[in-house]
Structures are given as structure tokens and as C-alpha cells.
Amino acid sequence: MTPDAGIALAADPCDWSALAVAATTLPGGVRLLLVENHSVPLVFLSWTSPAGFECDPLGLEGIASLTPLLFREGSARRSAGQIAQQLDDLGAELASGSEWEGASLNLGLLSSDLFTGVELLLDMATTARFPDAAIARVRQRRLAEIEGRRRDPRAQANDELARALFGSTMYGRPPLGTVASVERIDADAIAAFHDARYRPDTSCLVIAGDVDGETALDRLATIASPRTTADRDTPDPLPSAAAIGIDPAEGLRTVHVAHATQTEIRVGHASVGRDSEDLPALDVLGTILGGGPTSRRATPTSAGGLDLSRPQPLHRPSSRRHVRGRNARRARCDGEGARGHPRGDCAPLRGARVRGRDRTGAAVAVSRGAPALSGSYWYGIDAWGDGVAWRSGASA
Amino acid sequence: VTHFPVTQRRLANGLTIVVQPDRRWPLIASMMCYTAGSRYDPPACAGLAHFCEHLAFYGPRDASGRTFPDRIVHAGGSTQASTTTDRICFSALFPRTALETVLAVEAERMTRALDPHDHEGLEVQRRVLIEELRERAQSPLGAAAFEQIHRRLFADGHPYHRPAAGEPDGIRAVTREDVNAFAASHLVPRHAILVLVGDLSIAEAVDVASRLFESLPAGLAHAPNAIVGSSPPHETQMPSLRVPASVLVAHTFVAWAVPGFGQPGWYLAALLIRALAAGRSSPLAQAVVDRAGLARDARGTLITMRDASTLVMTAAAVPGIASGRLEAGLLDAIDRLLSHGLPPASLARARKKALSDHYFIVQSLERRADLCALLSADVDAPERLDTEAARYAAADPDAIAAFASVLRDQPAGARLSFVPRAEAA
């Protein structure tokens, strides 16, 4: 029998300690968090800036989600080709993206290349260049994506629910932008957005993996960010996000999507922000109601069909639902099963009654009109900073 | 470097148990893997293994109405299933306290995988499977492309000729008796490998598994309808296939059959594809994207299977470049790259990429369990988990160059282009 060598054993299976996080500030002003994990010779670097969708300027919706797509296109020190070459030489994995509150640039690579990777990541994140040709390419791709969402019932239902709950305020606006707003985004706009939102002194670099903390901190102190706080006089204020006014429209909204093969239903409620102490309880509630195949929402009725009229203890909105500004965070937890559950009949779905609606709730149905539903359905719950949405779909 | 010691045991009924303790978190990843993939589909029922996997994933409901996944999720875990050409696998990730519950589910799946009276469930899954196939067919550049390549690369009757997901006519032809017979023949201890990775000791794993599985009958030694072994791929050059599709620009795929997983040649192929075609700055991308200006993207893929793997190089044309020109340019670039051998820098970065890819797998409990299952099922050596990295580091440059030459001269590559309908017309 092979001994259990090489892996640290915990005396008690439940006695596993929390991760030890070392924190410091690098010379360029970047906040650094460092977590050691020596299980494999890899390190994961994550640069995060407060540059999420909530920072989209009015009229330029979509700019926050477009900007991270351009980090490979060149920097002050490297051309796009040089960035690609170095990433390939390192055998590294690079991913970038954005959410409501922030945007990130993540790099995974062998720990032997840690410092090369840090220098590359800092250069890409802070001195990015935005060539017109690259912007035109991502803009074109984004416009096609927006057009694709218009034909996708699931996306239509999500967008319509956001509009129903939040109107024209921050969370009601489309993170991908609109055709008009995306067409307005040019190199100058992106450079200005990047300059304001990807500042070292408002950003954070996380290093996790096979790294020796003390040695790394000494060495990292010599890798200053290419752009320092001194480059600007004062930090830009955070954006004055549009107020979160919750005044959903009454009634059931129905959107017809030609050629759709699924009917999508959303029921949404305004709720608490991500930093609320109630959020863990809400997550548990979401799991019970719609978080997996054993949830109540997923349990088929005795008739074997979807039955939205079945009484459900829908989440009641918190008295602190009118969260504004940066406290109005949006979390997301999906609960789709690995398989489409069997069963499904159109009759109970067509006759659905939505209970528990009040002035903070909204319901949306997106369908191809008179669906004959059968086959499979899926289910889930979205918990946003200001809304909880139960959702179900059934294949036609 | 952390070591990941693996222990393999066999029960008297043939069930193989692979244990890899890792006690840093109170979690366990399990994988019950049956050597029962689509290669065992009868000719008239392409998709039977996949059908069986769907039904056995849910299993019969217990007294409280719970399916197999319900019971695992109720214990705090999550579960999935998959069918490949060579295997059906049921995987789970769960708190260590749920070990007995999850293994009890797997033991019951071996004895009672299906509800013999659930006619509705069978028909529902038939619809779900046909819908899956329809969705795959709608994305020609994804799974459908590789299915087309395998039909060209492996002769009719070869276990890899038909897609693991099945075919619509085959799914429609499957009967309840077919599914029951397949499950009874294949989902048995003799053909099963149980992998457990995570917060448990070897003794604990063997004890629980022995209690739950040792009394189960071994099952049939040779499954009916099995296609044993593998026939060689095509020995003559297949003509290029042009498929009109809903694509904006032409996409060309060039493929070869290479050794199966874990064989020495497989490691050469894995390094070669990374050296020539991994990343935006790869030699292949430089040739057809940067220098020739024919493609906007070019890359390589290695599809790993037991008896033969598939090495694919592909390019997407820039708008205005016809499929014939793209294919000629891609073939020319490949021929040059395979002829010139590997510069040391290319080999160095291929090794680095292979190592980081390997460690990305190993650092995840679930993916480590998957790799253990693969090493146990295909080469009967799960302990190689700990030495895989060294195989990439030790690969001989001359052997890789020789492998490239063989590939260049091999007449049996499949060539396939998806052509915009406007161009095809």
C-alpha cells in the first residue's frame, strides 16, 4: 500500500484553517494580496480594477465590458504580437472580463515564471493601448452579440426583467450596451475610461499559488507599476451611478420572439445589496427554492408538469431594498441542473399565476406565442444586489 | 513539487478502486467509470451507450421519490455524467461526510440502474437526446466538425467512426430491452473503475468500497455487441470534403490518427501540437495568419481516445478568401512545419505549455480524478499521475522530429472544409 506521503494531513477532517492572506502596497500604489498554496507549481495572478458595468457613462453603455477585451492589443512596452509571443512562451492562460462592480485581468502560469508574469500583467493592465483597428473589430463583434441577444429568448427575458425592475437606472441598463451606445465608443472614449478606472492606486493585484511570500514581496517591491499614482494629481471620484429607483411596472410583460423554441419566465423581486448581512441567508433560501434538482421549484408536481401556481414562499423584499450608489451590488448564483429534468406540459405553464408580487416585483414571459411545451425544463434563481429572480424555462 | 501518490486495488468481482488521498479540504471527488462507451453501440443503435448513461444518471426513484442525483445533491454534493467513445462516467464532488451516501448510490446504480417500468422516462430521455443531437448539428464548427472528421478518418466499422453522442436514427431505434441489456452487460463491477480523490485515507476508501461493492456479481466477461480492439485508420488519402454550412467564412480542418492516450507516441503528439499550433504566436498562426494573410485564426487540437487519438489543425479564413485557397495554404504551411523539425525554442515552450496544462488539471480534485480514471482505464497505471509531468520534460527532440516526419508522410489525413453557403452556391 502506498503511504499517504506528500500531502499535509489534517488531524480533524473539519479542522482546515482559513487561507492566510498577506497584504501590502507595491511602489506604484497597487494593493497586493498574496496567498500561498504549494500543491502544484502554478501561480494565478488577478488584477482587479473598479471598472465594472456600473461605471458605464451615460450614452456609452458597454464601454466597461468592451475595455477588458482589448488588453491583448498592445501596451506602452509591447505590441500585440509581443504580448501574444510572451504569453505563448510562458505557456500561460490569460482571461479578462468585467462584472457590475469591477473588471479583471487574470493570468495563470508556472510558478517559475512568476515575476515575468507580474511584470507582463502590470504592463498590460496599466499602460494598455487601444488601436482603432482592434476597437473596430471588438465593436463589430459586440454589435453582432447584441443582435444575437434579440433573437435569444433567454437573453430577452433577462433583459426585460432588468428593465421591468430597474427601469432606466443603473441595473436596468444593458451591460453589453445598445447598438447606438456601442457605435459611439471610440479609441478616445476607451482611453479616457481606462485612464480613469484602471489606476494602480484604486486597483488590486492578487497572487495565489506556489509562491514564497517573503521572497516574493521583496522581489515584487522592485517591480513598480509602469504607471504610478504620481502620474495624476488626484484620483478620479468614483462614478455617480444612476440612483436605483425601484418602481416596477405593474402587470405581466410578454415578449414574443419569432422562432423561439423555449418559453422563458422570470419573476423578479427587489432585494438587498451584495454587502448586506442578509445575503448568506438569501443564498440558502435561493438554494432551497431553486438551487438544484432537490429544490422546491424543481420538484415536479404530481401531474408531472411545471406548475407556477403552486404556492411558494417567495422571498419578501427587504426594507433596505432602496440601495443606492456603490452599495447597490449585484451578485449572481445560477442553479441550473446538469441535465434538463424530464416531464413538462404546457397546460400548467400557460395557466400560471404568479403569487407574491407586490410593487417591488415584476414578471416577464418570453415565448413564441402559443407554445406546446414538452421535453425538459430548467430552473434557477438569480440573486442580484437589488433583485431576486426566479426563472424557469421549458423546451418546446 | 507536491507528490500525489495513488493506490489501485481490485476487488474479487473485478471492480478496480483507485484512491488518491488529499486531505487539505474536507471534500472528495468520485468517478465511477465504466469501459462501456459508444464503441459498444450495436450498428443499428448508435447512441445506445449515451441513452443508457442518461437513464442511469437518474436511476429509479427511491421510496421518498428521489433520483440518484437528488440523493447526492441532498447530501451536499453535485454530480454529472458523460459518455465518450470508450467510457461512461458518473462523477460527483461532495463533502467527505457524504462518502457513504454517494458510494451507496453508485452501488445501487450497478444493481438497479434503470426503472424497468418507467416508460415515460425513457421517452423523455429519447427526446432530450435527439434535441442534443440537433443542437450539436447546428454548430458545425464545434462537435459536429469533429464528428465529420472521425467519419473520414476512421473507416466504417471502426469503434471511433461514429459519434459518441449517437445518431438520430440510432436513438429512435433503441428499445427498453436494448437499454436494459446494455446496462446489465456493461454497468457491472468487472468493467468498472471507482476513483476517489480527496479527504479520505486509503484504508477508509477500501473499507467503504469493499462493504458496498464486494458482494455484487462481477458481470459478464465479454459484453455482447462489443467491437473489440481497433482497426487501423484509412490507408489511402481521402479526398477533401467540402460542406456548405451557415458560417461567415471558410473553416478548414486537417486531421491525422495518432497513438492513443498514454502511449509514447501520444506524448510526442501532445508536444508537437503545442509546439506548432498552440497560441496566437504559434508557427502555424505565423505562417497562415501573419505571413500568408489567408486566415484570421489557426490552431491545433489533440482529441484523446484510448486506441487512437486525433490530431487536428484548423484555420478560419479572413473574409474574401475562398475555402480552396485556405485549404491549400494550410496544407502547405503544415507540410513545411512538419518538414523543418522543431526549433529548440518551440520545443521549450511546448514543454512549458504541456506542464502548465497538466498542473491545471492536477490542481482540481475533479479533474485529477478524471485523469486517474483515464490512466487506470487506458494504461492500467494510475500511479503515473505522479510522473506525467516528467514525461513531457523528458521527451526526446529527435523522437518528436521523427514523429513529425511520419505524420507528414502519412497518407491518411482527413481534410474537411465548412464553406459559406454563398461560396458553395
Side-chain angles (χ1 to χ4, degrees):
Chain A
M1 186 176 292
T2 310
D4 291 353
I7 301 288
L9 302 183
D12 180 333
C14 294
D15 183 21
W16 55 290
S17 55
L19 294 173
V21 181
T24 187
T25 302
L26 294 181
V30 184
R31 179 83 168 150
L32 172 70
L33 303 177
L34 198 146
V35 184
E36 293 188 44
N37 179 340
H38 301 284
S39 59
V40 291
L42 293 175
V43 284
F44 298 88
L45 317 178
S46 180
W47 169 284
T48 303
S49 293
F53 313 144
E54 67 181 15
C55 299
D56 273 347
L58 282 173
L60 290 175
E61 288 83 1
I63 196 169
S65 57
L66 275 177
T67 303
L69 304 180
L70 293 159
F71 282 131
R72 291 174 182 265
E73 302 299 337
S75 68
R77 295 178 181 171
R78 295 169 173 88
S79 67
Q82 287 170 323
I83 289 174
Q85 178 85 41
Q86 189 161 14
L87 288 170
D88 291 342
D89 287 348
L90 293 170
E93 295 285 338
L94 178 76
S96 60
S98 47
E99 296 187 353
W100 280 98
E101 298 91 359
S104 59
L105 186 61
N106 303 320
L107 190 65
L109 72 169
L110 292 171
S111 51
S112 54
D113 295 320
L114 166 66
F115 301 107
T116 307
V118 170
E119 192 275 326
L120 173 64
L121 191 74
L122 291 177
D123 183 40
M124 291 173 69
T126 62
T127 73
R129 295 290 180 260
F130 305 103
D132 288 331
I135 292 172
R137 196 168 57 242
V138 297
R139 188 195 294 127
Q140 205 58 38
R141 205 179 306 149
R142 173 58 54 84
L143 291 172
E145 199 176 349
I146 292 170
E147 175 59 26
R149 287 180 71 85
R150 289 182 53 212
R151 295 194 296 264
D152 179 357
R154 192 174 293 191
Q156 283 276 293
N158 290 338
D159 291 349
E160 190 61 31
L161 179 65
R163 279 193 291 271
L165 277 175
F166 302 113
S168 61
T169 59
M170 188 170 67
Y171 291 153
R173 293 190 289 162
L176 297 185
T178 63
V179 171
S181 69
V182 169
E183 284 178 341
R184 273 194 292 270
I185 296 171
D186 58 15
D188 289 342
I190 289 182
F193 182 83
H194 177 264
D195 200 42
R197 304 296 165 209
Y198 288 82
R199 300 174 52 82
D201 55 334
T202 58
S203 299
C204 181
L205 173 65
V206 179
I207 300 177
D210 181 32
V211 50
D212 178 68
E214 285 190 20
T215 309
L217 288 174
D218 289 344
R219 177 82 183 272
L220 288 167
T222 68
I223 305 177
S225 165
R227 197 180 80 161
T228 66
T229 310
D231 292 346
R232 296 176 63 83
D233 296 333
T234 54
D236 276 348
L238 288 166
S240 51
I244 308 300
I246 300 173
D247 187 17
E250 292 289 336
L252 177 71
R253 296 186 177 197
T254 305
V255 181
H256 296 283
V257 179
H259 310 301
T261 56
Q262 284 195 315
T263 292
E264 304 286 338
I265 294 182
R266 303 289 186 275
V267 182
H269 272 256
S271 182
V272 299
R274 179 179 278 181
D275 49 2
S276 166
E277 62 186 19
D278 292 337
L279 192 60
L282 189 60
D283 281 342
V284 173
L285 180 66
T287 303
I288 295 169
L289 295 180
T294 55
S295 67
R296 295 184 192 180
R297 170 55 67 207
T299 304
T301 65
S302 57
L306 282 171
D307 186 356
L308 296 184
S309 66
R310 188 182 183 199
Q312 300 280 354
L314 291 179
H315 173 62
R316 304 299 299 177
S318 159
S319 60
R320 289 179 289 164
R321 63 183 180 268
H322 291 282
V323 185
R324 291 175 185 275
R326 288 183 52 74
N327 289 329
R329 303 298 174 84
R330 196 179 204 187
R332 182 180 176 87
C333 55
D334 283 331
E336 290 188 40
R339 291 255 180 272
H341 258 252
R343 323 287 189 270
D345 186 281
C346 61
L349 189 58
R350 283 199 208 133
R353 285 186 298 133
V354 179
R355 291 173 183 250
R357 292 183 57 237
D358 58 17
R359 291 195 71 252
T360 65
V364 176
V366 178
S367 80
R368 64 176 183 178
L373 296 169
S374 63
S376 64
Y377 70 82
W378 55 274
Y379 46 81
I381 179 169
D382 284 342
W384 300 342
D386 300 279
V388 175
W390 279 268
R391 54 195 173 87
S392 294
S395 64
Chain B
V1 175
T2 303
H3 294 288
F4 296 96
V6 177
T7 293
Q8 178 167 287
R9 295 288 188 83
R10 278 204 175 84
L11 300 184
N13 59 13
L15 173 66
T16 301
I17 303 168
V18 177
V19 189
Q20 202 281 297
D22 182 345
R23 313 202 71 166
R24 289 168 297 167
W25 299 280
L27 290 171
I28 297 172
S30 74
M31 175 154 295
M32 183 63 89
C33 193
Y34 297 92
T35 51
S38 62
R39 60 188 301 147
Y40 296 99
D41 286 348
C45 295
L48 176 57
H50 192 195
F51 208 141
C52 186
E53 173 245 302
H54 269 234
L55 289 166
F57 175 74
Y58 292 105
R61 291 182 184 276
D62 65 9
S64 58
R66 288 180 179 153
T67 62
F68 289 156
D70 288 347
R71 287 158 61 181
I72 292 173
V73 171
H74 200 74
S78 58
T79 179
Q80 292 192 38
S82 64
T83 301
T84 66
T85 49
D86 301 307
R87 281 173 289 281
I88 291 176
C89 294
F90 301 96
S91 58
L93 180 69
F94 50 90
R96 58 154 296 132
T97 50
L99 174 64
E100 188 108 12
T101 301
V102 173
L103 293 193
V105 165
E106 296 304 339
E108 189 174 334
R109 202 182 330 254
M110 277 191 187
T111 55
R112 191 167 167 254
L114 315 168
D115 181 348
H117 306 298
D118 185 9
H119 298 282
E120 186 193 356
L122 182 114
E123 294 310 319
V124 166
Q125 288 306 323
R126 195 192 305 278
R127 288 199 298 271
V128 169
L129 285 162
I130 290 173
E131 176 66 13
E132 270 186 32
L133 297 183
R134 189 185 67 79
E135 287 182 6
R136 292 164 73 91
Q138 284 182 338
S139 55
L141 303 178
F146 296 111
E147 290 175 7
Q148 294 264 19
I149 286 169
H150 283 181
R151 288 184 197 281
R152 306 284 290 176
L153 203 55
F154 301 105
D156 196 6
H158 187 281
Y160 300 154
H161 178 76
R162 292 181 302 180
E167 295 167 343
D169 286 345
I171 297 291
R172 289 188 193 99
V174 169
T175 65
R176 167 161 302 282
E177 291 70 31
D178 293 332
V179 181
N180 287 335
F182 191 94
S185 301
H186 295 279
L187 304 191
V188 295
R190 185 188 295 274
H191 303 305
I193 296 165
L194 170 63
V195 179
L196 296 168
V197 174
D199 187 16
L200 78 175
S201 68
I202 295 163
E204 183 184 10
V206 172
D207 174 58
V208 176
S210 299
R211 262 193 294 115
L212 292 169
F213 294 96
E214 203 152 40
S215 62
L216 303 181
L220 298 174
H222 297 291
N225 301 318
I227 303 169
V228 180
S230 62
S231 60
H234 295 294
E235 292 178 354
T236 55
Q237 179 73 60
M238 295 289 289
S240 176
L241 178 67
R242 296 173 80 242
V243 181
S246 299
V247 291
L248 295 175
V249 296
H251 290 71
T252 292
F253 298 76
V254 181
W256 297 261
V258 295
F261 174 72
Q263 307 307 314
W266 183 85
Y267 292 95
L268 300 178
L271 285 168
L272 183 69
I273 196 73
R274 287 181 173 95
L276 297 184
R280 297 184 184 192
S281 71
S282 71
L284 182 69
Q286 287 180 16
V288 296
V289 177
D290 299 338
R291 287 197 293 274
L294 295 172
R296 64 181 187 197
D297 183 35
R299 62 185 67 191
T301 307
L302 181 63
I303 304 166
T304 295
M305 297 175 289
R306 190 182 76 186
D307 297 323
S309 297
T310 307
L311 188 148
V312 185
M313 295 197 201
T314 179
V318 295
I321 297 293
S323 60
R325 200 171 153 211
L326 176 69
E327 182 178 320
L330 180 62
L331 286 169
D332 181 57
I334 291 170
D335 187 62
R336 288 170 188 270
L337 292 171
L338 293 177
S339 302
H340 291 165
L342 282 186
S346 294
L347 179 59
R349 79 179 193 172
R351 282 184 174 142
K352 198 168 264 193
K353 179 67 177 157
L355 283 177
S356 59
D357 288 348
H358 172 70
Y359 288 124
F360 277 124
I361 291 172
V362 170
Q363 55 106 28
S364 150
L365 285 184
E366 298 136 288
R367 297 178 71 192
R368 198 188 312 161
D370 191 28
L371 182 55
C372 284
L374 209 59
L375 287 164
S376 179
D378 288 1
V379 293
D380 195 24
E383 68 278 3
R384 275 174 45 177
L385 174 73
D386 224 13
T387 57
E388 282 292 279
R391 289 174 186 274
Y392 295 113
D396 177 13
D398 292 339
I400 298 175
F403 181 82
S405 299
V406 170
L407 211 59
R408 182 197 59 202
D409 298 335
Q410 186 174 315
R415 291 171 291 148
L416 168 70
S417 288
F418 290 102
V419 183
R421 295 192 190 282
E423 180 190 329

